[in-house]
Amino acid sequence: MNALELIGLRAGYGSIEVLHGVSLVVPAATVVALLGPNGAGKSTLLKVASGTIATTDGCLHVGGVHVNGADAAALAQAGVCRIPEGRGIFPNLTVAENLRMWTGVGDLRPAEVAERTFGRFPRLGERRAQLAGTLSGGEQQMLAMSRSLVVDPAVLLLDEISMGLAPIIVAELYELVGTLAQQGIAILLVEQFAQTALAVADSAVILSQGRVTRTGTPAEVEEHLAAAYLGGAA
Amino acid sequence: MLRVEDVEVRFGGVQALKGVSLEVPDGALVGLIGPNGAGKTTLFNVITGLEKPFRGRVLMGDQDVTSLPPHQRARRGLGRTFQRIEVFSSLTVHENVLAAAEARRSWGRDEPEPARSASELLERVGLGDVERERVDKLPTGLLRLVEVARALASRPRLLLLDEPGSGLSTHESEALGDLLVDLVRDGRSILLVEHDVELVMRVCQQIHVLDFGSIIATGTPDQVQRDPVVQAAYLGTSAA
Amino acid sequence: MTTFLALSITGLVVGCIYALTACGLVVTYTTSGVFNFAHGAIGMVAAFTYWQLSVGWGWPAPLAFLAVLLVLAPLLGAVVERVLIRPLYGAPIGVTLVATLGLLVTLLGVGFLVWPPDTTRVLPKFFEGHTVTVFSLVVDYNQLLVIVTSVVVAVGLRLFFSRTRLGIAMRAVVDDPELAALAGTKPERVSQLSWAMGASLAALAGVLLAPLQTLNVTELTLLVINGYAAAMAGRLRNLPATVAGALVIGVSSSLVLGYAGPQVVNYVRPAIPMILLFIAVLFLKQERLRAGSLAGLRMPRTTGLRQSVGVGVVFVVVAGFVSGQLSPAHLAIGSQGLVLAFVMLSLVLLSGYGGQVSLCQLTFAGLGAYAMGKTGGGALGLLAAIALPAAAGALVALTVVRLRGLFLALATLAFAQAMDQIFFNHALGYGGTLAIPRPRLPFVDTADDQVYFVLLAVVLALGSVGLLVLRRRAFGRRLIALNDSPAASATMGVSPVRTRLVVFTVSSAVAGLGGALLGGLHGSVSPNDFLLLNSCVLLLLATLGGLYTPTGAFLAAMSYALFPELQKLVPELGQVQFLLTGLGVLALGRNRYGVGGQLADAGEKLRALRLQRVGVARAAG
């Protein structure tokens, strides 16, 4: 069964339509890389799939259930977890308070949430009383990713989790992505660095100007990347 | 015409620009490209005075304008458009441009007929047919052209264009490219931020690539396109 | 020393109450992003309800206390959030400001309606008669209760926000509402809770304050406004700083009252919180000139010059005809409406075109009347009536020119209230009046009410046409451009400071001239003519009528002039201007263009329809 399915989806901001009928599926236990040039609508697509932006047309299915019109909090309860671009944390709350917020979904007690997070990212345990905004970029992203670890999502939407991070931390985060996929989670991955994403992906989709222009295995899609990003000459 | 020297901008702990320097020579059309969040709009804000740099200078001609407020810089010949559209939404298309022409008259004293200039400029960017429309009835692509016409109405010597081509059809974007070439031929200098890489490659003589707040490459369109560092920035291939 | 301590304790008690109200304000503002101008009014209603339950219906005091604080007030807050605030999510500050001001005057109206001011209501102090002596200082239980309650609330809030998941969620929503939703917390629920808590804190402040004062609708409402300055001291965010600010305000006011001479006390004391508010607002760090988004309001089409002159001429002719038919009493009402409409043109210019909120337009009108009265009228008087408010306006503008939105509103509110307390009460005489002559003209006898009526109509017509001409010229476009996008205006060489200064000055002058003519109409003015609350009502009515059109100003002014008549007809409705205006705003508040805008739109549709028909006819022919 497809954990996430978009059919002819249209959406945008106010009167400006960004997605002009996008269809794609993400089966359970699969990583799909969503690639494409700036402004193609990748982040918008993730926002629509998590209920932050409403769809104007088409269908959004989560776990086979039609969920058009559900808001972000409701979709979170239904098992969708989006880690937003930039900082997916509350900068003015401490690490421990951030983790407390993650208990809004799922049935883990605060102590269990802390245990799981600090088990995976011991560095966060050392900084539990620190304001999240004062953590290093890598630690902030670990804290953001810890939500996917503790809410037991069915669908995980990752928006540029490697942005601005050192390669060693990126590797650590992607190791976690692989583990989560093995646990059966459906993962849709947006990445600035196409190669990084393709290395862990089972399949890939190129989005260009609000439309899917290519779908295939990572190898198939890779050939067309340069043209999509830098124009014909490269 | 414009020189940016070692500009650094911080938002909280984040360095949005890390010592950026670039130059726009007189009569040149210079492109500035880079991935989302690279700091292009921030750089525009620093140049126009909407953002104070933590460090570094902005020079127009020989004059250091770093401490001048935005309207003083505009009066020294700096015009711009905005990535997040900033039209005057309660005015008509014509009035949007007229307001700028009238402002030019009040401080420049060399704009005898603002209303006619505004109409001519709208004609030039291809909006002659809709000049009596309320601006909020236009699609976004055309709003960017309204901004271009409005910026031109201040008769700037240097024009900063922030993604003027996004939301335009292929045909419209070609016309925009021709317009830009024309404007430079008239003696203006242009610094162009644009996602439509083909447009940039076609019209710019020189291109700077901004990534994570730093200039990572500078060169002709051909050089930039072949630069492995640029490819790495865009595609994530390991840089040679 | 004993005096000092006693004064400090009194001040501390008042400071604690300010702290409670200010904390409520901050909790609501940070979580929902809306500054609740009705905060004080909620406290007022709570205090009266408490009186009703405990004194009126004889409930035991503790029961009444708990019922108000834990049931009625939170319920009111939650309902207000759901009905009034939630639909305005993301709306520009001008809209939320009008909505909560509307709530303020509605609650005032309700207060006057349910608890008419003709009976005296006294709330006994808590634990009346019980005192303790601390270091030779007699402190009564009521004071003790206030202090203890405040400490408990402060500690409780601190624990709530740091220890409970709900409290953490409230802070999380402030940080990033989108992420909070992604983490499964509904931001709107949290916002609703913050309104319930805010209302409860307002109620607590009101109930604790009431026994220290007489139970008076306007005074209670405005006294709680004193907490605004404290909230500003905490930058509307920081609770400890807010509490500290409140205590400083309370104690310093009390000490000034105790030590300064009666002269200073009478002049300055009532205005201390407002002066502090003004200063606090000025020193708050302002937003930078920021590129915004497409949030501008759609203004109605502007009437053409020929058309507006035509309408003006017809208006004057009709006024001339009507003036002969009206009884003296009705003539007075009509004149009042005309002159107020002229005052409101200053609001159309400043707020409608310029987008700057002002709660002190009547203050400038008062200054105009004052200048006219002191100079003895004549051409010189008119000149003074324009020059003095213009100068005052320029001065105010110079200090507040960098403020926008909420902070501008708060600064003008503080200015209006301080002028009420310091200037008008003395310059115009406490409860007394200042005689204002009518302007003299050749050939016509302005002392004749009928002639004066027509004169006012002419002045209004000229003002309206002038305003429309201004709108269609370069200055009008610059003004609207600056309002729509400050960043884009600056990048085309427009100096935002100079433009704002000019429009503020001109608008003050217009209001001042209107004030002088208003004074001339009645022959005198009193401090009560220029109260802050009336300025609020005028602003709201103007919004209802449509801030963007002279028509809107006219409609608004006429309704304002008719309120006293309505009150005579239905005296049981109490202070009808508050209730009706407030309800009107609450009902129509979501229509940002007001009745005037609707009319203009309807006109435009008709025109389009006619053009279409002409087109069809041509095509057929």
Side-chain angles (χ1 to χ4, degrees):
Chain A
M1 193 187 61
N2 294 319
L4 178 69
E5 185 165 11
L6 280 56
I7 308 163
L9 196 97
R10 291 174 180 273
Y13 304 86
S15 57
I16 310 162
E17 191 177 88
V18 177
L19 302 176
H20 315 289
V22 172
S23 299
L24 64 83
V25 294
V26 187
T30 307
V31 179
V32 175
L34 182 60
L35 308 169
N38 285 330
K42 303 182 299 277
S43 291
T44 307
L45 191 150
L46 295 196
K47 285 181 186 171
V48 173
S50 60
T52 303
I53 297 177
T55 48
T56 48
D57 196 17
C59 291
L60 177 63
H61 291 179
V62 171
V65 180
H66 183 81
V67 293
N68 282 29
D71 66 18
L75 279 183
Q77 304 293 354
V80 177
C81 174
R82 171 165 70 90
I83 308 294
E85 186 183 352
R87 294 187 294 189
I89 55 156
F90 300 105
N92 292 310
L93 303 189
T94 64
V95 170
E97 285 170 339
N98 267 276
L99 295 182
R100 194 81 184 271
M101 283 304 293
W102 300 166
T103 61
V105 177
D107 43 17
L108 287 192
R109 284 181 293 109
E112 293 168 323
V113 167
E115 201 184 301
R116 257 202 224 184
T117 305
F118 300 150
R120 182 84 205 189
F121 303 115
R123 285 159 71 178
L124 293 179
E126 296 159 20
R127 311 206 187 296
R128 69 178 77 199
Q130 202 171 320
L131 282 187
T134 65
L135 298 175
S136 73
E139 289 161 347
Q140 292 192 11
Q141 198 58 273
M142 289 175 191
L143 181 56
M145 281 294 284
S146 72
R147 183 155 53 90
S148 63
L149 206 59
V150 299
V151 301
D152 293 322
V155 177
L156 181 58
L157 309 167
L158 299 175
D159 200 349
E160 310 232 355
I161 53 169
S162 70
M163 191 193 258
L165 300 183
I168 184 161
I169 294 170
V170 175
E172 194 176 339
L173 292 174
Y174 271 95
E175 194 192 316
L176 175 60
V177 171
T179 315
L180 291 172
Q182 278 168 16
Q183 289 170 10
I185 301 176
I187 299 175
L188 185 57
L189 189 67
V190 167
E191 259 304 335
Q192 180 99 52
F193 299 111
Q195 309 293 340
T196 319
L198 289 175
V200 297
D202 300 300
S203 69
V205 173
I206 295 185
L207 196 67
S208 184
Q209 305 204 331
R211 289 185 177 84
V212 172
T213 53
R214 204 161 290 274
T215 310
T217 65
E220 287 164 2
V221 165
E222 193 169 4
E223 290 170 27
H224 302 277
L225 271 178
Y229 278 67
L230 276 177
Chain B
M1 178 66 231
L2 173 78
R3 215 160 74 228
V4 175
E5 288 181 356
D6 198 24
V7 162
E8 183 177 326
V9 172
R10 296 179 182 181
F11 298 126
V14 187
Q15 269 183 304
L17 293 176
K18 309 168 187 165
V20 170
S21 301
L22 61 77
E23 215 169 308
V24 180
D26 275 327
L29 210 174
V30 176
L32 180 65
I33 62 172
N36 267 346
K40 293 166 300 201
T41 296
T42 306
L43 182 60
F44 268 25
N45 286 345
V46 169
I47 296 172
T48 47
L50 294 175
E51 191 80 56
K52 280 230 179 320
F54 178 76
R55 186 159 59 85
R57 301 198 298 166
V58 177
L59 293 100
M60 291 179 65
D62 298 328
Q63 204 189 1
D64 186 345
V65 297
T66 319
S67 56
L68 292 184
H71 68 274
Q72 294 287 0
R73 299 187 197 198
R75 293 178 187 189
R76 281 170 173 71
L78 186 61
R80 81 172 279 186
T81 66
F82 293 85
Q83 185 208 358
R84 291 185 56 190
I85 291 166
E86 289 275 338
V87 292
F88 306 131
S89 48
S90 339
L91 298 177
T92 65
V93 172
H94 185 257
E95 281 180 310
N96 260 272
V97 183
L98 179 57
E102 285 165 344
R104 169 77 203 192
R105 178 160 75 168
S106 71
W107 50 261
R109 317 229 168 265
D110 58 349
E111 177 57 83
E113 282 184 88
R116 219 183 71 198
S117 304
S119 293
E120 283 169 6
L121 283 170
L122 283 167
E123 200 64 51
R124 192 163 179 193
V125 300
L127 292 177
D129 306 341
V130 294
E131 69 166 39
R132 298 288 150 195
E133 292 283 333
R134 293 178 65 116
V135 79
D136 53 5
K137 295 193 172 143
L138 262 53
T140 26
L142 299 191
L143 293 182
R144 295 186 187 281
L145 295 182
V146 174
E147 286 210 0
V148 172
R150 184 180 65 191
L152 288 174
S154 308
R155 304 192 174 189
R157 286 178 296 139
L158 171 65
L159 194 54
L160 309 183
L161 300 175
D162 203 343
E163 298 191 21
S166 83
L168 295 185
S169 68
T170 322
H171 175 71
E172 287 166 335
S173 127
E174 269 169 26
L176 176 69
D178 296 343
L179 173 69
L180 297 186
V181 172
D182 267 5
L183 290 173
V184 172
R185 200 169 294 142
D186 293 351
R188 285 187 195 79
S189 317
I190 294 178
L191 181 59
L192 173 70
V193 163
E194 183 52 63
H195 273 151
D196 180 347
V197 183
E198 271 173 49
L199 176 66
V200 179
M201 298 291 170
R202 180 161 78 87
V203 300
C204 292
Q205 296 125 13
Q206 195 193 28
I207 293 174
H208 297 277
V209 185
L210 194 63
D211 191 29
F212 288 127
S214 306
I215 301 276
I216 56 165
T218 299
T220 63
D222 237 24
Q223 289 169 337
V224 165
Q225 231 164 359
R226 293 179 202 291
D227 191 329
V229 180
V230 177
Q231 297 209 346
Y234 269 87
L235 302 177
T237 36
S238 49
Chain C
M1 190 62 202
T2 321
T3 330
F4 177 80
L5 282 180
L7 287 172
S8 299
I9 289 287
T10 320
L12 195 63
V13 168
V14 176
C16 281
I17 295 173
Y18 290 167
L20 288 173
T21 191
C23 285
L25 205 54
V26 169
V27 166
T28 327
Y29 178 76
T30 48
T31 316
S32 69
V34 173
F35 186 92
N36 183 10
F37 277 86
H39 197 69
I42 291 175
M44 177 273 293
V45 168
F48 272 94
T49 310
Y50 172 67
W51 175 89
Q52 188 67 50
L53 295 179
S54 64
V55 179
W57 295 341
W59 290 24
L63 184 64
F65 190 75
L66 292 179
V68 169
L69 290 191
L70 299 183
V71 182
L72 298 175
L75 201 65
L76 176 65
V79 169
V80 164
E81 192 279 339
R82 183 68 196 84
V83 176
L84 188 63
I85 303 303
R86 203 176 294 177
L88 300 181
Y89 181 72
I93 168 69
V95 177
T96 59
L97 178 112
V98 165
T100 59
L101 271 182
L103 181 63
L104 163 69
V105 296
T106 308
L107 292 177
L108 272 182
V110 170
F112 281 118
L113 178 67
V114 182
W115 299 285
D118 42 20
T119 36
T120 316
R121 295 176 189 80
V122 181
L123 261 179
K125 288 185 177 178
F126 297 93
F127 313 110
E128 187 76 76
H130 291 71
T131 58
V132 298
T133 310
V134 188
F135 302 122
S136 77
L137 193 67
V138 182
V139 180
D140 67 31
Y141 271 36
N142 190 67
Q143 292 176 318
L144 224 48
L145 174 78
V146 172
I147 295 172
V148 170
T149 311
S150 307
V151 171
V152 168
V153 167
V155 172
L157 280 178
R158 179 151 186 87
L159 290 177
F160 173 74
F161 281 117
S162 61
R163 296 291 164 82
T164 66
R165 148 110 187 141
L166 204 54
I168 293 171
M170 280 175 85
R171 287 164 52 214
V173 166
V174 176
D175 247 14
D176 190 340
E178 187 182 315
L179 181 61
L182 289 178
T185 303
K186 285 190 189 296
E188 55 271 32
R189 275 292 156 73
V190 172
S191 163
Q192 187 167 37
L193 175 76
S194 80
W195 275 81
M197 280 177 67
S200 199
L201 286 168
L204 181 58
V207 170
L208 291 179
L209 186 64
L212 308 179
Q213 316 274 335
T214 45
L215 222 48
N216 173 306
V217 172
T218 39
E219 261 179 38
L220 265 178
T221 304
L222 290 178
L223 269 172
V224 184
I225 286 185
N226 292 346
Y228 289 2
M232 282 296 149
R235 304 185 154 227
L236 285 176
R237 274 201 308 264
N238 184 333
L239 283 179
T242 302
V243 172
L247 297 183
V248 168
I249 292 169
V251 172
S252 63
S253 310
S254 172
L255 290 179
V256 170
L257 171 69
Y259 284 116
Q263 200 63 13
V264 178
V265 170
N266 283 342
Y267 267 92
V268 179
R269 196 202 59 105
I272 287 178
M274 289 301 140
I275 295 169
L276 291 176
L277 172 59
F278 195 75
I279 294 171
V281 170
L282 286 186
F283 280 91
L284 261 185
K285 198 177 158 206
Q286 282 295 303
E287 293 174 60
R288 281 164 302 154
L289 196 59
R290 187 183 282 280
S293 56
L294 263 174
L297 302 179
R298 211 174 60 80
M299 279 187 218
R301 206 181 62 89
T302 318
T303 326
L305 177 63
R306 218 188 303 163
Q307 195 186 350
S308 53
V309 169
V311 171
V313 169
V314 171
F315 181 76
V316 170
V317 170
V318 171
F321 173 74
V322 168
S323 69
Q325 318 293 317
L326 290 176
S327 70
H330 289 160
L331 206 57
I333 298 170
S335 305
Q336 170 93 357
L338 291 174
V339 72
L340 279 174
F342 185 76
V343 172
M344 282 196 191
L345 290 184
S346 73
L347 263 180
V348 174
L349 177 65
L350 185 65
S351 308
Y353 297 170
Q356 308 199 61
V357 184
S358 162
L359 296 173
C360 61
Q361 287 316 90
L362 276 185
T363 308
F364 294 124
L367 283 175
Y370 170 77
M372 186 78 173
K374 286 291 173 185
T375 51
L380 180 72
L382 277 180
L383 206 64
I386 293 172
L388 178 68
L395 210 63
V396 173
L398 271 179
T399 46
V400 304
V401 75
R402 287 180 200 288
L403 305 181
R404 305 258 290 153
L406 172 63
F407 298 106
L408 182 62
L410 283 170
T412 55
L413 175 141
F415 175 70
Q417 182 66 2
M419 286 293 283
D420 265 5
Q421 304 281 1
I422 301 177
F423 186 75
F424 289 132
N425 270 335
H426 302 278
L428 306 179
Y430 254 123
T433 55
L434 177 69
I436 314 283
R438 287 183 184 178
R440 284 181 296 275
L441 290 178
F443 313 119
V444 289
D445 175 20
T446 52
D448 182 295
D449 283 347
Q450 205 176 319
V451 171
Y452 200 63
F453 177 88
V454 178
L455 176 69
L456 291 175
V458 171
V459 171
L460 176 61
L462 285 177
S464 302
V465 172
L467 194 64
L468 287 169
V469 168
L470 188 79
R471 160 66 186 86
R472 293 182 76 80
R473 296 183 67 100
F475 185 72
R477 272 187 288 274
R478 191 195 307 169
L479 212 53
I480 287 169
L482 186 62
N483 185 21
D484 277 353
S485 170
S489 293
T491 53
M492 59 192 210
V494 170
S495 158
V497 172
R498 225 185 85 193
T499 309
R500 292 217 176 95
L501 190 64
V502 170
V503 67
F504 216 97
T505 307
V506 172
S507 150
S508 310
V510 170
L513 179 60
L517 294 175
L518 177 71
L521 172 65
H522 300 297
S524 67
V525 292
S526 79
N528 289 338
D529 292 335
F530 307 110
L531 292 179
L532 164 70
L533 285 175
N534 291 336
S535 268
C536 293
V537 170
L538 271 186
L539 175 72
L540 292 176
L541 281 174
T543 314
L544 269 182
L547 260 182
Y548 307 103
T549 55
T551 322
F554 177 70
L555 291 176
M558 277 302 165
S559 5
Y560 190 83
L562 281 173
F563 281 145
E565 283 311 291
L566 210 58
Q567 196 163 354
K568 274 183 220 153
L569 284 176
V570 222
E572 54 278 9
L573 268 185
Q575 298 275 332
V576 74
Q577 77 267 29
F578 295 127
L579 196 60
L580 286 185
T581 308
L583 288 177
V585 168
L586 298 190
L588 297 175
R590 278 168 234 169
N591 177 353
R592 298 171 193 174
Y593 317 107
V595 181
Q598 295 285 310
L599 288 178
D601 266 4
E604 199 174 350
K605 273 187 200 130
L606 271 178
R607 227 170 51 95
L609 208 65
R610 208 175 56 203
L611 284 177
Q612 211 176 0
R613 282 219 194 106
V614 172
V616 171
R618 277 208 195 127

